[in-house]
Amino acid sequence: MTARLDEARAVDVKSRSRICDEVSDALLAAGTVPPFEVRSADLVNDPYFICADRYWRSRFQQQPTVRTALECARWMTDHVRDESWGVVAEQWALGNGFLNRASADPERRVAEEAEEAGTGRDAERISLFLSLYHAGKLRANFSFDELHAFLAFSPSAVAAGSLRDEHSVFGALQAFAAFGSRTLTVAYASELLEQAWSSPRRTRHTVDICLHGLAFAPPFDGQGQLLRGHAEEAVQEYPDDHMFRARLAAGLHLCGQHTEALQSIDTALALLAASPTASLSVLQDQYLTKRDAIQEGRLRALQDAEQQRRWEEQSAANAQLERALHTSSVRAVEVVAVFTAAIAFAVGSLQVTLTGKIPLTDRLWLLAAQGAGLALFALLIVGGTWLITRSHHPRGRRTE
């Protein structure tokens, strides 16, 4: 068995995966746990970790109970190196919890199994593993309030002791539960998120759960900007991670940046296709669904932009027509005033002219006085019209 796993180091990825499957199946058939040591959490190049991962995944699928999680945690205390224990625990507890989410144990059963762990550092590790396994199921089922209560008050979570603070993924799960809860505030959830995100012990699973919580939280102000900012940081840290590219696409979509979101989800699909360990069928369907939503949002944005353009053009045309009608009305009043004054002057001057008893000089002065009066009358009418309507002119110029 050791020789076959050592041989798997020098072959290609597909051959390595096949050898690990064969060794894992042989162990399952013999009813024997893996006898070798796991030194890393490399799911691509380390055949020992790959084989152990396949073995325990099959065990969880056969019996997806907290009892299996207890047996796995006990095996890890003897076969996983300390420097890799935390990453392996997160990978197996959360991953198998997600895969077996349909069969969640009651919290009482989790507490009973945690009591068998005893005391000491190994007992804290076992309790943490059991808590993460059960929390992984609650997270996968979006049981936000139940998850929040479990992490805060369950005996198994409390028994993890100081490891709760050492593993930032624990805080990330609390933030995930708070964002999805209908009873906890967004401010509280955001505080938990920042504590987990800024932890010096932040792991890839911490990043994943934080982004998951932001992406699936009920809508709140600033959600898109918050998700986009954290996803951009995650992509910089893990540029080849298809999941974080998909989260970035979701954040860009919420911010209305549909073109950038489409590019990001296409990158996620390309990275997913090139990944030798990803479950193509499930994740590809999710990414394609998100891509369709982004496409619809992009099309709707284009339609809204065209409608907005037409509305602005119509508003400008209406404003121009209003100004034209207003100007015409003012000019009509001015013309009527001048025309009325002209008629009055003509009639008055005719009467003066036809009256023969008044001397010519007096007639000229009378005509001049009458003309001046009528001209003043017309000027008053025109000036008054201008004073009444002048407030409309600046507004019309701004509309242009």
Side-chain angles (χ1 to χ4, degrees), residues 39-120:
R39 302 179 180 181
S40 75
D42 189 344
L43 204 53
V44 177
N45 300 308
D46 186 353
Y48 289 93
F49 176 71
I50 298 172
C51 180
D53 180 78
R54 305 285 171 84
Y55 172 85
W56 284 111
R57 184 186 303 179
S58 298
R59 287 282 303 274
F60 276 107
Q61 289 175 346
Q62 293 172 1
Q63 192 176 5
T65 64
V66 69
R67 186 68 189 182
T68 304
L70 177 61
E71 294 175 4
C72 178
R74 283 174 171 169
W75 179 88
M76 289 176 58
T77 59
D78 297 326
H79 295 85
V80 178
R81 287 195 171 183
D82 290 343
E83 59 268 21
S84 301
W85 189 92
V87 179
V88 174
E90 292 179 10
Q91 176 78 16
W92 287 356
L94 295 172
N96 287 296
F98 175 82
L99 293 174
N100 301 285
R101 57 191 177 277
S103 56
D105 295 282
E107 186 178 330
R108 173 186 55 80
R109 182 61 179 163
V110 181
E112 291 174 355
E113 296 294 350
E115 289 180 358
E116 294 190 19
T119 59

Side-chain angles (χ1 to χ4, degrees), residues 11-194:
V11 299
D12 58 84
V13 174
K14 290 184 178 180
S15 299
R16 184 181 303 124
S17 178
R18 177 181 53 79
I19 293 173
C20 292
D21 282 335
E22 291 174 354
V23 175
S24 173
D25 292 340
L27 289 170
L28 290 167
T32 305
V33 297
F36 47 79
E37 184 182 50
V38 171
R39 302 179 180 181
S40 75
D42 189 344
L43 204 53
V44 177
N45 300 308
D46 186 353
Y48 289 93
F49 176 71
I50 298 172
C51 180
D53 180 78
R54 305 285 171 84
Y55 172 85
W56 284 111
R57 184 186 303 179
S58 298
R59 287 282 303 274
F60 276 107
Q61 289 175 346
Q62 293 172 1
Q63 192 176 5
T65 64
V66 69
R67 186 68 189 182
T68 304
L70 177 61
E71 294 175 4
C72 178
R74 283 174 171 169
W75 179 88
M76 289 176 58
T77 59
D78 297 326
H79 295 85
V80 178
R81 287 195 171 183
D82 290 343
E83 59 268 21
S84 301
W85 189 92
V87 179
V88 174
E90 292 179 10
Q91 176 78 16
W92 287 356
L94 295 172
N96 287 296
F98 175 82
L99 293 174
N100 301 285
R101 57 191 177 277
S103 56
D105 295 282
E107 186 178 330
R108 173 186 55 80
R109 182 61 179 163
V110 181
E112 291 174 355
E113 296 294 350
E115 289 180 358
E116 294 190 19
T119 59
R121 183 69 173 180
D122 288 344
E124 289 185 349
R125 285 184 169 183
I126 292 174
S127 296
L128 179 69
F129 188 88
L130 298 181
S131 299
L132 291 180
Y133 177 66
H134 187 68
K137 292 184 177 182
L138 296 177
R139 170 202 173 194
N141 292 326
F142 298 102
S143 302
F144 299 107
D145 290 317
E146 187 177 351
L147 175 59
H148 178 265
F150 173 78
L151 294 173
F153 307 113
S154 70
S156 58
V158 173
S162 60
L163 293 181
R164 290 158 52 104
D165 298 327
E166 293 181 15
H167 289 265
S168 58
V169 70
F170 204 93
L173 286 167
Q174 291 178 308
F176 174 88
F179 271 117
S181 174
R182 295 299 194 276
T183 59
L184 301 174
T185 64
V186 173
Y188 174 69
S190 300
E191 182 180 353
L192 292 174
L193 173 75
E194 293 306 321

Side-chain angles (χ1 to χ4, degrees), residues 242-261:
H242 55 84
M243 180 65 72
F244 298 156
R245 294 279 181 174
R247 299 296 188 217
L248 176 57
L252 292 169
H253 178 48
L254 289 175
C255 293
Q257 298 176 251
H258 305 293
T259 301
E260 294 83 352

Side-chain angles (χ1 to χ4, degrees), residues 321-353:
L321 178 60
E322 181 183 358
R323 289 194 301 273
L325 292 174
H326 176 267
T327 302
S328 300
S329 300
V330 173
R331 296 295 177 265
V333 172
E334 294 172 350
V335 169
V336 168
V338 173
F339 187 70
T340 302
I343 293 176
F345 179 76
V347 173
S349 62
L350 182 61
Q351 292 177 352
V352 172
T353 303

